[in-house]
């Protein structure tokens, strides 16, 4: 079982690295493809939007596929998309290739988490899922910095994309050799997967996710430009900063669970959002030198990625019976935010410059705080109505 979980985690590592690494090599990609840095951000949009929109669709369409066939097909598409991105010099074709890679990721990621649950006995299911999801955390802490460093050392961003492709090949080989037969999940139609969106409790909670990750990635998408005063244009220094951010993100993800259990999801969520607003408002100044940039990135990583647990907790608490579909919708919403962010960042760069994207992100995060409190009120009213109805009966 553990070897299977490990190769599933490697697959998640490859997909997560592809999500985060483009930001670190964006200036070089823009120069190579003969577009502005703002326009090059569409490379992030194409991958994230394809991943977000096609995730639920592919989960519904491939329910009857054997799991090994699904993983190998998805990783094959993922590798092909990254190879095309690396080898083709035309920006429009590169955009299409990024969308292809996103399709492959959308096929693999949700199925990998479900496979982890299926492989483990009930008493070890939580650890199995966390083992596979650790691949995503490792992508922020290791994958993106390593990919950025490769681009810096070689002076060629396309080598970074070859590195991501190699990770996909490694994961596919491991799954082909080590993954046992796994029963297919229950058949759930696409309409049923999207049905929870009609519930206001879910809708407002997902709006919180959308706004906060749009705000966070408005800056992250152009992080090489935003931090160029601190890095002096050095890709190696940027890779170190991304490593710091990734470690902080992992700490935030892992540590938020215990805090939610102790203090409640609302308190952790609201505190994190307020701290993020302050952190992003200060970015025009804190990103000007290395030491303060490190502090800003640590706060960002811990609080930003620490929001995933309270958000997931709130969704499941609102509709426990729909937990698997809600977690999938929350992930899809996160990637919708990631796909929108570069477009907002492009406008922001033209308007105020890359060094002042932080306050734009802060505004979006502040709006997410309003959405979060609205979600809390809606959930509380719904719960009170249910209690009253139960007493009346």
């Amino acid at each position: 079982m553990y070897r299977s979980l490990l190769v599933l985690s490697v697959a998640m590592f490859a997909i997560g690295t592809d999500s985060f690494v483009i930001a670190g090599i964006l200036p070089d990609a823009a120069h190579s493809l003969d577009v502005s840095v703002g326009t090059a951000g569409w490379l992030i949009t194409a991958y994230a939007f394809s991943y977000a929109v096609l995730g639920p669709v592919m989960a519904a369409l491939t329910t009857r596929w054997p799991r090994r066939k699904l993983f190998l097909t998805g990783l094959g598409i993922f590798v092909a998309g990254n190879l095309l991105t690396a080898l083709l010099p035309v920006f429009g074709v590169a955009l299409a290739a990024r969308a292809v890679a996103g399709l492959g990721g959308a096929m693999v990621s949700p199925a990998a988490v479900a496979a982890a649950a299926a492989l483990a006995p009930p008493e070890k299911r939580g650890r199995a899922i966390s083992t596979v999801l650790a691949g995503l955390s490792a992508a922020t802490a290791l994958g993106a910095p390593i990919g950025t460093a490769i681009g810096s050392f070689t002076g060629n961003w396309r080598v970074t994309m070859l590195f991501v492709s190699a990770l996909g090949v490694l994961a596919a080989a491991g799954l082909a050799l080590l993954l046992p037969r796994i029963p297919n999940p229950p058949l759930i139609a696409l309409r049923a997967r999207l049905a929870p969106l009609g519930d206001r409790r879910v809708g407002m909670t997902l709006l919180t996710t959308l706004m906060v990750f749009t705000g966070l990635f408005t800056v992250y998408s152009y992080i090489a430009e935003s931090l160029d005063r601190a890095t002096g244009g050095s890709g190696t220094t940027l890779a170190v900063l991304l490593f710091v951010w990734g470690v902080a993100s992992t700490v935030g993800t892992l540590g938020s669970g215990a805090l939610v259990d102790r203090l409640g999801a609302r308190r952790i969520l609201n505190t994190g959002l307020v701290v993020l607003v302050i952190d992003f408002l200060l970015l025009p100044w804190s990103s000007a030198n290395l030491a303060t940039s490190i502090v800003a990135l640590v706060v960002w990583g811990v609080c930003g990625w620490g929001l995933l647990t309270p958000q997931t907790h709130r969704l499941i608490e609102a509709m426990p019976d729909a937990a698997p579909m809600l977690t999938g919708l929350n992930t899809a919403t996160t990637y919708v935010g990631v796909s929108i962010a570069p477009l907002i960042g492009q406008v922001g760069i033209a308007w105020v410059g890359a060094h002042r994207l932080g306050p734009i992100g802060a505004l979006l995060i502040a709006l997410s705080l309003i959405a979060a409190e609205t979600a809390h009120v809606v959930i509380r009213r719904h719960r009170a109505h249910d209690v009253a109805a139960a007493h009346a009966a």
Side-chain angles (χ1 to χ4, degrees):
M1 178 185 78
Y2 294 106
R3 291 187 302 175
S4 300
L5 294 176
L6 179 60
V7 291
L8 286 169
S9 183
V10 171
M12 297 293 275
F13 178 77
I15 292 164
T17 297
D18 205 13
S19 301
F20 302 118
V21 77
I22 289 289
I25 57 174
L26 200 61
D28 291 338
H31 178 75
S32 172
L33 294 168
D34 196 26
V35 296
S36 69
V37 171
T39 301
W42 297 0
L43 295 170
I44 300 171
T45 295
Y47 179 88
F49 188 75
S50 175
Y51 185 106
V53 172
L54 295 177
V57 175
M58 296 310 299
L61 293 178
T62 61
T63 301
R64 299 186 185 278
W65 287 24
R67 298 297 91 181
R68 182 182 282 108
K69 174 185 175 181
L70 173 61
F71 288 130
L72 295 183
T73 302
L75 285 169
I77 293 171
F78 173 82
V79 170
N82 280 290
L83 287 176
L84 289 172
T85 305
L87 299 177
L88 298 177
V90 180
F91 179 66
V93 178
L95 276 181
R98 294 298 295 150
V100 169
L103 167 61
M107 294 175 68
V108 173
S109 289
V113 176
L119 284 167
E123 67 275 11
K124 296 183 178 180
R125 192 162 291 157
R127 279 173 286 180
I129 292 172
S130 65
T131 298
V132 172
L133 289 177
L136 288 178
S137 298
T140 63
L142 294 174
I146 290 173
T148 301
I150 288 172
S152 176
F153 290 149
T154 63
N156 188 345
W157 70 278
R158 298 178 187 277
V159 179
T160 297
M161 305 315 299
L162 294 176
F163 162 68
V164 176
S165 301
L167 290 175
V169 171
L170 177 64
L175 288 168
L177 293 173
L178 300 175
L179 189 71
R181 182 176 177 83
I182 300 173
N184 286 24
L187 181 62
I188 303 175
L190 180 60
R191 178 177 295 181
R193 293 177 185 273
L194 299 179
L197 290 174
D199 189 296
R200 287 189 64 208
R201 297 169 296 172
V202 173
M204 293 308 302
T205 303
L206 292 180
L207 181 61
T208 306
T209 297
L210 176 65
M211 298 304 294
V212 70
F213 278 94
T214 301
L216 295 175
F217 277 82
T218 292
V219 179
Y220 183 83
S221 300
Y222 301 100
I223 197 164
E225 296 286 308
S226 297
L227 298 181
D228 61 2
R229 293 173 296 174
T231 64
S234 167
T236 302
T237 304
L238 178 61
V240 172
L241 289 177
L242 290 178
F243 173 74
V244 170
W245 177 79
V247 171
S249 301
T250 303
V251 170
T253 302
L254 297 177
S256 59
L259 290 174
V260 167
D261 289 340
R262 183 184 305 173
L263 302 174
R266 183 191 180 199
R267 185 175 298 179
I268 299 306
L269 181 61
N270 289 357
T271 301
L273 290 173
V274 170
V275 173
L276 282 170
V277 169
I278 297 170
D279 190 38
F280 272 52
L281 284 173
L282 294 175
L283 273 178
W285 299 276
S286 61
S287 63
N289 67 74
L290 190 59
T292 51
S293 291
I294 290 173
V295 174
L297 287 170
V298 168
V299 172
W300 175 356
V302 170
C303 293
W305 288 100
L307 299 176
L308 288 175
T309 297
Q311 277 291 92
T312 303
H313 187 278
R314 174 170 281 183
L315 284 167
I316 293 174
E317 188 178 44
M319 296 182 68
D321 294 340
M325 288 181 285
L326 291 175
T327 55
L329 287 173
N330 197 44
T331 299
T333 303
T334 299
Y335 274 87
V336 170
V338 173
S339 71
I340 295 171
L343 307 180
I344 297 175
Q346 182 183 17
V347 175
I349 290 173
W351 182 28
V352 297
H355 300 150
R356 292 181 174 83
L357 288 177
I360 298 175
L363 174 61
L364 292 165
I365 296 167
L367 292 174
S368 77
L369 178 59
I370 296 172
E373 276 301 280
T374 303
H376 168 72
V377 171
V378 172
I379 291 170
R380 185 176 60 184
R381 287 177 178 173
H382 195 281
R383 187 180 298 122
H385 179 271
D386 288 346
V387 171
H391 284 308

